[in-house]
């Protein structure tokens, strides 16, 4: 019983850590406050779910999810390209509303508010991932790959160029950097990994509906990135563990789910506020939130 | 080398740069002076491609760069230092300078697969500039932790390392202590000896007179005088503009 | 013809409601220059305050309405003092203030959910709210009152901004904070005023909306989303722009249902938002600005 519960939490931590490090890439390194990041997660989940209920193998669904999300990341980068600061954040927020509205209303494709049920668990290489322990291993493996890939980007000269754009875009342009290209690439990659984590989420939960992808869901992910500290990848992982586990004790006190939901929201919002006021560098951050 | 022709730029109803024309020569230090609001920084912004003029043309090395983007202007070989700090504040001095040398770092796969190495030649050049400006001791510090004078020097170093034919300096010694001021004056003269072309904005007249070959005087967006420091000192129009 | 008229009326009603939300939001944005998303939270909390006071006290409705406006103005004032002022003192960017306001919105929504529960509440203050027929289209007295109040409110707001000392100072700060400070206007004082006045408008919006529709915990977010879309369409930071944007949004949404099922109403709104974000991010009345 306890094992099953811990496995469940570990799987969630794995999925959210992919989502959080991808947000870290675009926010911490690229400097784009992407409030639509959770939509890439949703797009990935839907893209993957729609294929897998048709019997398409999981690996293809996973990659397809990443690519569809990346495509939308590219679209979003066109809209945010010329804009700065809070204006580009507003655009990303608007983007999340648009995605939600489409998921809800394009019934022919997404089945509307009823959502998609019966998403199959992966089954390949002779392994049936309906077993949660195996699924956990799959999640850990993909999370590790994603982490290493994003770390490689951040420590490369491309990452340095990206950071220069974050600190001062005009100065980067004056050194001849094509900042449009840098920002587009970072958003595209971030969206790709968010899509991948969405695909894992859909395959794990086996049921998705639009309400799981509203913009309020971004708050815990944003909290993770900010608690861990901007431009710190190990910090992001530690923060994912902390933020996912933090509301769990309330489950044991015996609160009903109707109360658990708001309590969780209150916790995340409070964490976010506390960090902003008391520790704007987060716990392991290299740079200040400002 | 750089030729400004009938350049005009309006902000709201005000002519910030008004039918401005002059030319600067290769291998010389040209100083741009004039009262506050006379359009000097706007002119720099027009050259860098940050602002676009309503009228007129900018020629650089024979080519028309009037409508070029900021990146293109930089890649054609114009390097610039701003009046206020434009360093990447969360990066170290070395990283700031590497960004100026490395022009392949926006190539994603190349830099990811590690084939975008900083060559030894570039590494040597970096060291040279660090030594020349006396900032090698602080090369691993974050630029946000530097003093004002150090920031100015790093900025100068970064502009020097960014490959260029022309250096634009917007008040490079404003607010720094006399020692750094002297060092910078010597450095600029050394750079000139090395064949560099420099266009600078400066308020400190004695500093300007000591290093500039030519002086261009601007007032209310237009050029009112143009000549050697001694010619400018005796120009009545210039005296009138300043009084 | 009557369908056209009905859609027109529905569009104007929706527009008036959005305008009540977006005008206060834009007023705050114009001086403070950051996105106060918690404005939606102020509306939701005010609506619940109105509901609770009405059902748990013997005060007359007029007094409760006055109290609600006072409550919302005070709430906005305090949000600014407690949350935003310390951040401004630390020279935080508008992005951080924006994230803070979102956290406050989520916080207020969750609090309402905890205290009042998830189910919708109805306020039965107006008994005889039967629709009247005008040339084949139906409108209720309350809806007429909403439109009337909105028009009066905007007229009052316009006069306030043009004629009073505070209004002029607010415009000065909105235009250029530095210059305003040079002529002796305290920007902190003007921020407080904008929050109080903008939030009082939110209080009026809360009252009218809670009479017209049911109230529920998520109303703040959904109203804010529409108000925000309106403000973007009209040009963020311009109150007349926000009002214009609101009516454009209300009309477009409703006339859109001529061609599409009504379930697509929200989608139409977002589509409009996207068109503006891509092709005219400065909005209808906004000034083109590279910095944005």
């Amino acid at each position: 019983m306890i094992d099953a519960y811990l496995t469940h939490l570990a799987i969630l931590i794995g999925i959210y850590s992919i989502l959080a490090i991808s947000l870290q890439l675009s926010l911490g390194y690229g400097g784009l406050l992407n409030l639509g990041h959770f939509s890439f997660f949703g797009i990935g989940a839907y893209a993957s779910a729609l294929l897998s209920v048709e019997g398409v193998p999981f690996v293809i669904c996973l990659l397809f999810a990443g690519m569809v999300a990346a495509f939308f990341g590219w679209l979003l980068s066109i809209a945010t390209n010329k804009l700065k600061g809070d204006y580009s954040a507003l655009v990303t927020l608007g983007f999340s509303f648009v995605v939600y509205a489409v998921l809800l209303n394009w019934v022919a494709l997404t089945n509307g508010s009823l959502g998609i049920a019966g998403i199959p668990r992966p089954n390949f290489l002779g392994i049936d991932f309906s077993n949660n322990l195996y699924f956990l291993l799959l999640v850990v493996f993909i999370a590790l790959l994603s982490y290493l890939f994003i770390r490689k980007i951040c420590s490369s000269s491309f990452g340095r160029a990206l950071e220069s754009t974050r600190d001062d875009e005009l100065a980067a342009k004056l050194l001849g950097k094509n900042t449009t290209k840098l920002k587009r690439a970072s958003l595209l990659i971030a969206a790709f990994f968010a899509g991948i984590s969405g695909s894992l989420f859909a395959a794990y939960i086996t049921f998705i509906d639009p309400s799981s992808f509203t913009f309020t869901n971004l708050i815990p992910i944003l909290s993770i990135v900010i608690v861990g500290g901007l431009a710190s990848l190990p910090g992001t992982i530690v923060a994912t563990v902390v933020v996912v586990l933090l509301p769990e004790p309330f489950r044991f006190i015996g609160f009903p789910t109707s109360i658990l939901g708001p309590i969780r929201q209150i916790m995340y919002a409070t964490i976010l506020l506390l960090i902003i006021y008391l520790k704007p560098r987060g716990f392991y951050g290299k740079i200040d939130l400002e | 080398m750089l030729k400004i022709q009938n350049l005009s730029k309006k902000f709201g109803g005000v002519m910030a740069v008004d039918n401005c024309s002059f030319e600067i020569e290769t291998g010389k230090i040209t100083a741009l002076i004039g009262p506050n609001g006379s359009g000097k920084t706007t002119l720099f912004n027009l050259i860098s491609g940050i602002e676009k003029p309503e009228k007129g043309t900018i020629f650089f090395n024979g080519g028309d760069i009037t409508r070029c983007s900021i990146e293109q202007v930089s890649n054609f070989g114009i390097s610039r230092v701003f009046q206020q700090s434009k360093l990447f504040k969360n990066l170290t001095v070395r990283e700031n300078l590497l960004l100026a040398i490395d022009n392949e770092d926006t190539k994603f796969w190349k830099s990811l697969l590690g084939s975008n190495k900083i060559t030894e030649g570039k590494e040597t050049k970096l060291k040279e500039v660090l030594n020349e400006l006396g900032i090698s001791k602080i090369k691993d510090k974050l630029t946000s932790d530097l003093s004002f004078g150090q920031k100015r020097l790093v900025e100068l170093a970064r502009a020097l390392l960014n490959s260029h034919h022309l250096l634009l300096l917007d008040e490079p010694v404003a607010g720094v202590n006399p020692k750094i001021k002297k060092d910078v004056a010597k450095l600029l003269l050394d750079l000139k000896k090395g064949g560099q072309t420099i266009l600078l904005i400066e308020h400190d007249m004695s500093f300007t007179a000591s290093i500039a070959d030519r002086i261009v005087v601007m007032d209310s967006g237009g050029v009112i005088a143009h000549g050697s420091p001694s010619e400018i000192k005796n120009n009545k129009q210039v005296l009138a503009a300043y009084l | 013809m009557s369908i056209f008229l009905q859609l027109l009326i529905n569009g104007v009603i929706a527009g008036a409601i959005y305008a009540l939300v977006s005008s206060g939001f834009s007023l705050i944005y114009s001086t403070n220059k950051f996105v106060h998303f918690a404005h939606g939270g102020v509306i939701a909390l005010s609506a619940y305050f109105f509901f609770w006071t009405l059902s748990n006290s013997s005060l007359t409705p007029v007094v409760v309405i006055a109290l609600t406006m006072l409550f919302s103005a005070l709430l906005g004032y305090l949000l600014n003092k407690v949350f935003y002022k310390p951040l401004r003192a630390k020279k935080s960017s508008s992005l951080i203030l924006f994230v803070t306001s979102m956290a406050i919105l989520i916080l207020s929504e969750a609090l309402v959910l905890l205290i009042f529960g998830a189910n919708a509440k109805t306020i039965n203050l107006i008994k005889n709210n039967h629709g009247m027929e005008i040339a084949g289209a139906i409108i209720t007295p309350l809806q007429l009152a909403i439109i009337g109040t909105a028009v009066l409110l905007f007229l009052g707001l316009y006069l306030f901004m043009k004629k009073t000392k505070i209004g002029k100072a607010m415009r000065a700060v909105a235009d250029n904070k530095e210059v305003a400070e040079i002529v002796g206007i305290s920007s902190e004082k003007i921020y407080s005023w904008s929050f109080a006045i903008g939030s009082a408008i939110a209080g009026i919006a809360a009252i009218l909306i809670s009479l017209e529709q049911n109230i529920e915990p998520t109303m703040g977010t959904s109203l804010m989303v529409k108000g925000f879309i309106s403000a973007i369409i009209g040009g963020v930071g311009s109150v007349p722009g926000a009002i214009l944007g609101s009516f454009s949004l209300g009309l477009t949404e409703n006339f859109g249902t001529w061609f599409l099922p009504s379930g697509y109403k929200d989608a139409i709104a977002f589509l409009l938002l996207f068109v503006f974000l891509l092709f005219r991010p400065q909005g209808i009345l906004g000034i083109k600005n590279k910095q944005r």
Side-chain angles (χ1 to χ4, degrees):
Chain A
M1 222 1 238
I2 294 206
D3 279 356
Y5 172 65
L6 290 179
T7 312
H8 165 74
L9 288 179
I11 290 173
L12 286 185
I13 288 171
I15 293 174
Y16 284 131
S17 61
I18 302 175
L19 186 57
I21 49 171
S22 61
L23 181 60
Q24 184 67 269
L25 177 68
S26 76
L27 175 58
Y29 288 87
L32 172 70
L33 178 57
N34 182 3
L35 299 172
H37 194 68
F38 209 84
S39 304
F40 297 136
F41 183 74
I43 289 169
Y46 266 90
S48 163
L50 286 171
L51 280 194
S52 68
V53 291
E54 299 295 330
V56 176
F58 177 72
V59 178
I60 296 175
C61 296
L62 184 76
L63 291 174
F64 181 70
M67 285 188 297
V68 174
F71 171 74
F72 280 95
W74 173 74
L75 277 187
L76 187 59
S77 77
I78 296 175
T80 54
N81 174 30
K82 290 255 178 270
L83 308 169
K84 276 182 191 165
D86 50 353
Y87 242 66
S88 70
L90 285 178
V91 172
T92 61
L93 185 62
F95 171 75
S96 78
F97 296 144
V98 174
V99 170
Y100 176 70
V102 171
L103 292 181
L104 195 62
N105 287 292
W106 194 355
V107 180
L109 182 74
T110 64
N111 207 18
S113 57
L114 294 176
I116 301 171
I119 303 162
R121 281 287 183 85
N123 191 339
F124 59 92
L125 297 175
I127 305 168
D128 181 5
F129 291 95
S130 317
N131 181 329
N132 275 0
L133 211 54
Y134 290 142
F135 196 87
L136 174 61
L137 290 176
L138 178 69
V139 168
V140 169
F141 177 70
I142 296 175
L144 199 65
L145 280 185
S146 312
Y147 182 87
L148 291 175
F149 190 78
I150 290 181
R151 196 185 66 175
K152 182 86 190 150
I153 296 173
C154 296
S155 60
S156 73
S157 53
F158 181 86
R160 188 171 58 217
L162 196 57
E163 287 197 81
S164 77
T165 310
R166 171 201 64 205
D167 278 4
D168 193 329
E169 186 173 352
L170 181 58
K173 281 186 178 170
L174 282 157
L175 294 179
K177 309 283 174 225
N178 185 344
T179 55
T180 306
K181 191 184 148 193
L182 282 165
K183 289 194 290 184
R184 181 183 304 143
S186 74
L187 189 53
L188 207 132
I189 299 159
F192 178 84
F193 284 100
I196 294 268
S197 63
S199 165
L200 285 170
F201 178 79
Y204 176 60
I205 303 291
T206 70
F207 167 75
I208 52 171
D209 70 342
S211 71
S212 322
F213 307 110
T214 54
F215 96 99
T216 45
N217 289 298
L218 182 71
I219 296 296
I221 307 301
L222 199 59
S223 306
I224 289 173
V225 170
I226 291 174
V227 168
L230 290 183
S232 162
L233 293 175
T236 311
I237 302 296
V238 176
T240 311
V241 177
V242 172
V243 170
V244 170
L245 294 185
L246 215 52
E248 287 305 313
F250 286 96
R251 206 187 285 276
F252 297 108
I253 299 173
F255 281 143
T257 20
S258 63
I259 290 187
L260 217 53
I263 284 191
R264 205 176 279 155
Q265 292 288 0
I266 289 174
M267 285 189 75
Y268 293 141
T270 313
I271 292 172
L272 197 55
L273 289 174
L274 286 177
I275 285 286
I276 289 173
Y277 287 93
L278 303 177
K279 214 165 167 41
R281 253 178 204 223
F283 284 94
Y284 302 95
K286 272 210 313 179
I287 64 176
D288 267 335
L289 260 182
E290 38 185 329
Chain B
M1 156 163 286
L2 182 77
K3 193 172 163 194
I4 310 277
Q5 226 169 39
N6 308 99
L7 210 59
S8 292
K9 174 72 190 172
K10 221 191 273 182
F11 285 122
V14 185
M15 294 300 283
V17 171
D18 192 358
N19 204 20
C20 188
S21 303
F22 66 89
E23 205 172 326
I24 67 170
E25 291 162 55
T26 310
K28 293 263 161 73
I29 296 179
T30 311
L32 203 55
I33 64 168
N36 275 329
S38 58
K40 304 179 301 283
T41 298
T42 307
L43 187 68
F44 265 31
N45 286 343
L46 289 168
I47 299 171
S48 312
I50 297 170
E51 305 280 357
K52 298 282 173 262
E54 272 97 38
K55 235 181 63 204
T57 341
I58 305 164
F59 292 103
F60 180 63
N61 279 342
D64 182 354
I65 58 160
T66 321
R67 302 277 146 199
C68 286
S69 71
I70 303 170
E71 301 97 286
Q72 283 170 327
V73 172
S74 166
N75 291 333
F76 280 136
I78 297 183
S79 207
R80 173 169 179 188
V81 172
F82 273 82
Q83 202 175 339
Q84 67 280 45
S85 177
K86 282 249 161 230
L87 291 173
F88 307 118
K89 60 177 186 288
N90 295 303
L91 301 180
T92 63
V93 171
R94 191 181 140 78
E95 285 170 323
N96 265 273
L97 301 184
L98 282 176
L99 278 156
I101 304 184
D102 191 345
N103 37 30
E104 299 266 81
D105 53 7
T106 51
K107 295 195 171 130
F108 179 72
W109 290 110
K110 199 167 178 189
S111 92
L112 203 65
L113 299 174
S115 58
N116 176 31
K117 289 262 191 306
I118 302 292
T119 59
E120 225 165 277
K122 283 182 173 174
E123 198 67 65
T124 326
K125 205 174 155 206
L126 183 86
K127 272 205 193 104
E128 265 174 38
V129 171
L130 281 172
N131 288 333
E132 221 171 307
L133 292 170
I135 50 174
S136 31
K137 258 185 275 164
I138 54 166
K139 73 176 191 310
D140 292 319
K141 273 197 181 182
L142 284 179
T143 55
S144 54
D145 295 336
L146 301 181
S147 72
F148 182 79
Q150 288 171 325
K151 278 185 188 163
R152 300 263 63 183
L153 291 175
V154 174
E155 225 147 340
L156 202 53
R158 195 175 69 181
L160 283 172
L161 285 169
N162 185 31
S163 69
H164 63 277
H165 306 294
L166 171 66
L167 209 50
L168 299 181
L169 308 175
D170 195 344
E171 302 201 27
V173 294
V176 306
N177 65 44
K179 181 180 178 304
I180 294 184
K181 205 176 261 191
K182 233 167 127 186
D183 290 348
V184 171
K186 183 175 173 300
L187 177 82
L188 294 183
L189 287 172
D190 284 348
L191 287 173
K192 189 180 83 169
K193 254 183 234 154
Q196 299 252 12
T197 313
I198 299 168
L199 176 63
L200 69 122
I201 296 176
E202 191 48 68
H203 276 294
D204 184 333
M205 271 313 278
S206 64
F207 177 84
T208 314
S210 67
I211 62 164
D213 301 299
R214 310 283 296 170
I215 292 183
V216 177
V217 189
M218 283 184 78
D219 190 29
S220 348
V223 174
I224 56 168
H226 190 176
S228 69
S230 53
E231 286 165 14
I232 295 298
K233 263 184 200 155
N234 304 319
N235 186 312
K236 286 201 179 99
Q237 235 183 323
V238 175
L239 291 172
Y242 270 99
L243 289 173
Chain C
M1 190 55 206
S2 68
I3 296 177
F4 176 84
L5 201 65
Q6 188 67 57
L7 288 176
L8 184 71
I9 288 176
N10 291 352
V12 170
I13 294 163
I17 288 176
Y18 299 159
L20 285 166
V21 179
S22 67
S23 55
F25 167 76
S26 272
L27 183 74
I28 294 172
Y29 185 93
S30 70
T31 52
N32 283 268
K33 298 286 187 292
F34 77 90
V35 179
H36 169 52
F37 229 68
H39 194 67
V42 173
I43 295 177
L45 288 174
S46 304
Y48 274 89
F49 176 87
F50 182 60
F51 165 77
W52 189 86
T53 319
L54 215 50
S55 39
N56 288 287
S57 72
S58 49
L59 300 169
T60 57
V62 180
V63 177
V64 179
I65 288 172
L67 276 178
T68 306
M69 284 177 61
L70 202 66
F71 169 82
S72 59
L74 199 66
L75 185 61
Y77 176 84
L78 286 176
L79 282 182
N80 177 45
K81 283 281 180 219
V82 174
F83 288 100
Y84 301 134
K85 199 183 165 194
L87 289 177
R88 270 199 301 270
K90 283 203 292 185
K91 302 235 180 300
S92 299
S93 74
S94 54
L95 269 181
I96 293 302
L97 289 158
F98 180 24
V99 172
T100 307
S101 84
M102 295 228 310
I104 299 170
L105 174 63
I106 306 262
L107 205 59
S108 65
E109 198 176 294
L111 278 176
V112 169
L113 199 57
L114 264 188
I115 299 169
F116 293 96
N119 50 341
K121 306 266 189 285
T122 317
I123 297 173
N124 290 313
L125 189 60
I126 299 169
K127 296 284 178 310
N128 276 321
N129 196 23
H130 297 301
M132 302 178 294
E133 216 185 284
I134 305 168
I138 294 169
I139 186 165
T140 68
L142 178 63
Q143 290 172 334
L144 269 181
I146 289 177
I147 297 170
T149 316
V151 170
L152 280 179
L153 186 71
F154 300 145
L155 215 64
L157 192 59
Y158 176 80
L159 289 175
F160 174 81
M161 297 299 277
K162 284 273 175 214
K163 301 285 176 202
T164 66
K165 212 177 147 190
I166 300 285
K168 284 178 189 163
M170 281 166 75
R171 276 170 40 221
V173 171
D175 196 42
N176 191 328
K177 191 187 104 186
E178 281 74 29
V179 173
E181 276 180 348
I182 290 168
V183 298
I185 298 170
S186 150
S187 49
E188 275 299 332
K189 199 172 134 196
I190 294 304
Y191 294 155
S192 297
W193 272 104
S194 335
F195 266 96
I197 295 168
S199 304
I201 299 174
I204 299 172
I207 294 164
L208 290 172
I209 293 164
S210 61
L211 291 174
E212 167 76 5
Q213 306 163 344
N214 293 332
I215 62 172
E216 45 191 342
T218 54
M219 68 185 283
T221 309
S222 46
L223 282 169
M224 193 55 234
V225 167
K226 291 298 173 69
F228 158 72
I229 296 178
S230 305
I232 293 265
I233 292 174
V236 173
S238 148
V239 177
I243 295 168
L244 186 67
S246 302
F247 284 101
S248 316
L249 178 63
L251 289 169
T252 316
E253 268 185 354
N254 280 284
F255 277 102
T257 58
W258 204 324
F259 310 99
L260 288 165
S262 58
Y264 273 95
K265 227 182 217 177
D266 285 348
I268 294 169
F270 295 125
L271 204 68
L272 197 62
L273 172 71
F274 225 47
V275 168
F276 268 88
L277 291 179
L278 279 178
F279 301 107
R280 203 179 158 80
Q282 74 273 30
I284 301 172
L285 294 187
I287 300 153
K288 200 158 189 157
N289 185 344
K290 262 199 177 159
Q291 293 305 305
R292 292 172 173 172

